[in-house]
Amino acid sequence: MDIKDLKLLIKTVTESDITEFEMDNSDEKIVIKRGHKPEYIQMGAPMMQPYAAPQFAAPTQAAPAAPAAAAPSAAAEAGDTLNSPIVGSFYRAPAPDAAPYVEVGQIVEQGQVLCIVEAMKLMNEIEAECKCKIIKICKENAQAVEFGDPLFVIQKL
Amino acid sequence: MHQKACTILRLFRDNGGFVSGEYVSKELGVSRTAIWKHISSLRELGHVIEAVPSRGYRLVSSPEWFDSVELKAQLNTLRVGKRLDCLKQTTSTNSDAFRIAEDGAPEGAVVVADAQFGGKGRRGRVWSSPAGVNLYCSVVLRPSIMPNEAPQLTFLSAVAVTRAIELTTGLKPEIKWPNDVLIGGKKVAGLLNEMSAETDCINFIILGIGVNLNMSPDQFPEDLRYPATSLLLESGSKVSRTRFAATMMNELDKLYADFLEHGFGPVREEWQLRCNAKGKAVSVSDGGIEQTSGLFMGIDADGALLLRSGGGRIERIVSGDVRVI
């Protein structure tokens, strides 16, 4: 995407009611989030450039810092967090080739499975404690989580 | 009625050959008509029992699949197997146990199946479960511990299976962290546990236990991710499935009682003695990429593997594939 199109995209998103925009194709990923903080843009293709040369790596490394800094305040405003009851590995789907249990924006019923946290071959299916909306998924698939780490930001309905 | 039928089976086994109806009726303290009813119910379960006038009854053969009477007769437990559901076939005993636990099944309830269509492995993988040869079972536990302590039970079931293999075959299995049971470096059992918990309490834990007992070489799937074996292949003789199941459940029951009374300490010590890495150097890899290596120092209270690196620093490993080097 060239800079002209990107500017147009930001303008369109800013003028709409959209608070979060995400686009992901094979060679680039664009995330635009809006809130009380100024909008920021994250651009890059981290999955495609694990061995990028330092001069290219620098901007992509700098970009994730913005969402990380903005996340806590967004979480506090948006709703409650659902925390991990155990140390383990976070899985979004029942199997590597299966669809994720939930996506951002989805409304889930009480008792619905949201993810699996595995610790030492003990599979812990984390369920929604009440009907709620998934605001944010805080961890990447297969990422290690500590006891008490937020897994989801949810909004109770 | 159940208990009486168990006793009848025991009498048949203890005496061998023919057992007179009069003797059985005296031992059980019931009428000969009542015994006839118990014999009928045993026959319905698949036991073949011969009845010859003036000689009595003789147990010709017992069913190929597990039946609860047979298995219960060999149990000596406080909790494990107090409820016992023996199925000819099912999708997954873990799923069945999870469902009955949600419906309020008591602690120690066990589901055993002769065959599974969709035996559960890690991350959606399938545990090969042909009929008539192995043990596939799942145990419901309701310990009053915190959810973060639950992984300790992974080590408990590994120790129970290892003990049962030793007791029934004399083979010396080893445990690969955290809970693969190996004989001569080949996997003989798969243990997969599931938990239902709230933030600060456990509703229940399902211990899923699959052990390759009498599987022959042609029964192993071709696309195995690791070398596998069975007790038959390692020992050269068939193992009684019922005896193995009962032994494993008896050992699990003892270990669990000890765990509830004394905590993780005793299980951890025994696990460390049975671990294939005891006193050795190991390397840890994740997704085929080596992460670290060091000397095996045991496991901590969370079950995390402790390694001492060259510099004397202790590293704590919570996931990965551990190989003895």
Side-chain angles (χ1 to χ4, degrees), chain A residues 51 82-98 101 111 113 116-127 129 141-142 144-148, chain B residues 98 102 120-125 146-151 154-155 177-180 187 191-199 205-207 302-305 316-319:
Chain A
Y51 306 110
L82 201 153
N83 303 332
S84 181
I86 52 173
V87 177
S89 304
F90 172 79
Y91 293 108
R92 286 192 56 197
D97 53 357
Y101 287 110
V113 176
I116 288 179
V117 177
E118 176 189 0
M120 320 279 163
K121 306 264 189 87
L122 177 89
M123 306 293 161
N124 188 11
E125 289 186 345
I126 310 286
E127 298 175 355
E129 284 174 15
N141 189 49
V145 296
E146 291 294 329
F147 172 70
Chain B
F98 205 94
E102 282 184 318
K120 280 190 194 174
R122 265 191 80 245
R123 307 290 305 124
R125 290 195 281 263
M146 293 296 283
N148 62 310
E149 296 171 304
T154 290
F155 300 88
W177 183 85
N179 68 351
D180 281 340
K187 186 159 165 168
L191 311 174
L192 185 84
N193 310 320
E194 295 182 59
M195 170 161 78
S196 162
E198 312 283 329
T199 319
I205 289 172
I206 307 297
L207 300 182
D302 297 325
L305 182 66
R316 195 170 169 273
I317 311 295
V318 293
S319 72

Side-chain angles (χ1 to χ4, degrees), chain B:
Chain B
M1 119 88 202
H2 229 57
Q3 198 50 51
K4 296 264 198 264
C6 290
T7 314
I8 292 176
L9 276 180
R10 245 181 210 163
L11 289 178
F12 285 153
R13 298 243 155 76
D14 292 350
N15 292 283
F18 281 94
V19 177
S20 76
E22 194 188 341
Y23 173 71
V24 178
S25 117
K26 221 173 83 191
E27 286 291 312
L28 266 71
V30 297
S31 73
R32 294 181 66 164
T33 322
I35 287 165
W36 179 249
K37 281 184 188 159
H38 293 313
I39 297 285
S40 300
S41 71
L42 285 169
R43 282 175 171 160
E44 274 168 30
L45 287 169
H47 296 272
V48 177
I49 298 165
E50 195 182 0
V52 177
S54 82
R55 295 187 72 185
Y57 301 103
R58 186 173 73 94
L59 180 63
V60 178
S61 67
S62 284
E64 275 298 298
W65 61 88
F66 290 103
D67 80 68
S68 52
V69 175
E70 176 83 39
L71 188 47
K72 267 201 170 169
Q74 297 187 35
L75 284 185
N76 178 21
T77 60
L78 282 174
R79 300 179 181 84
V80 176
K82 284 297 153 185
R83 169 175 167 178
L84 187 56
D85 297 0
C86 289
L87 311 171
K88 269 201 84 170
Q89 52 200 25
T90 188
T91 304
S92 148
T93 57
N94 259 33
S95 302
D96 293 331
F98 205 94
R99 199 192 61 242
I100 66 168
E102 282 184 318
D103 292 343
E107 168 153 275
V110 175
V111 179
V112 180
D114 188 52
Q116 294 183 113
F117 303 121
K120 280 190 194 174
R122 265 191 80 245
R123 307 290 305 124
R125 290 195 281 263
V126 172
W127 181 257
S128 172
S129 311
V133 286
N134 295 336
L135 172 67
Y136 319 113
C137 75
S138 298
V139 184
V140 178
L141 295 179
R142 300 178 181 277
S144 37
I145 55 175
M146 293 296 283
N148 62 310
E149 296 171 304
Q152 294 172 349
L153 291 165
T154 290
F155 300 88
L156 190 140
S157 63
V159 170
V161 169
T162 316
R163 278 190 188 179
I165 292 173
E166 265 184 26
L167 289 168
T168 53
T169 67
L171 293 165
K172 293 280 172 207
E174 293 180 316
I175 309 172
K176 176 174 173 262
W177 183 85
N179 68 351
D180 281 340
V181 179
L182 311 176
I183 299 178
K186 295 176 182 172
K187 186 159 165 168
V188 72
L191 311 174
L192 185 84
N193 310 320
E194 295 182 59
M195 170 161 78
S196 162
E198 312 283 329
T199 319
D200 53 1
C201 75
I202 293 171
N203 298 324
F204 56 83
I205 289 172
I206 307 297
L207 300 182
I209 297 167
V211 188
N212 296 339
L213 302 181
N214 299 320
M215 223 174 170
S216 55
D218 57 315
Q219 287 180 304
F220 287 92
E222 282 167 10
D223 56 346
L224 283 179
R225 297 169 51 255
Y226 44 79
T229 191
S230 69
L231 297 187
L232 170 65
L233 293 179
E234 295 301 318
S235 72
S237 50
K238 270 198 167 189
V239 180
S240 154
R241 293 198 300 157
T242 306
R243 182 169 167 238
F244 184 89
T247 308
M248 194 280 294
M249 286 161 69
N250 287 339
E251 293 306 315
L252 188 69
D253 189 77
K254 278 191 263 178
L255 282 161
Y256 184 61
D258 207 22
F259 174 81
L260 293 180
E261 197 175 337
H262 300 112
F264 188 42
V267 172
R268 180 172 146 193
E269 264 175 49
E270 186 169 343
W271 184 94
Q272 289 177 164
L273 290 174
R274 294 178 178 279
C275 179
N276 65 340
K278 186 171 62 115
K280 294 182 180 152
V282 298
S283 76
V284 182
S285 60
D286 207 350
I289 302 157
E290 181 169 328
Q291 304 291 320
T292 186
S293 61
L295 187 66
F296 173 85
M297 300 299 288
I299 50 173
D300 71 8
D302 297 325
L305 182 66
L306 301 175
L307 297 185
R308 195 173 69 204
S309 63
R313 199 166 52 89
I314 298 288
E315 254 190 288
R316 195 170 169 273
I317 311 295
V318 293
S319 72
D321 188 44
V322 176
R323 205 165 46 84
V324 175
I325 48 178

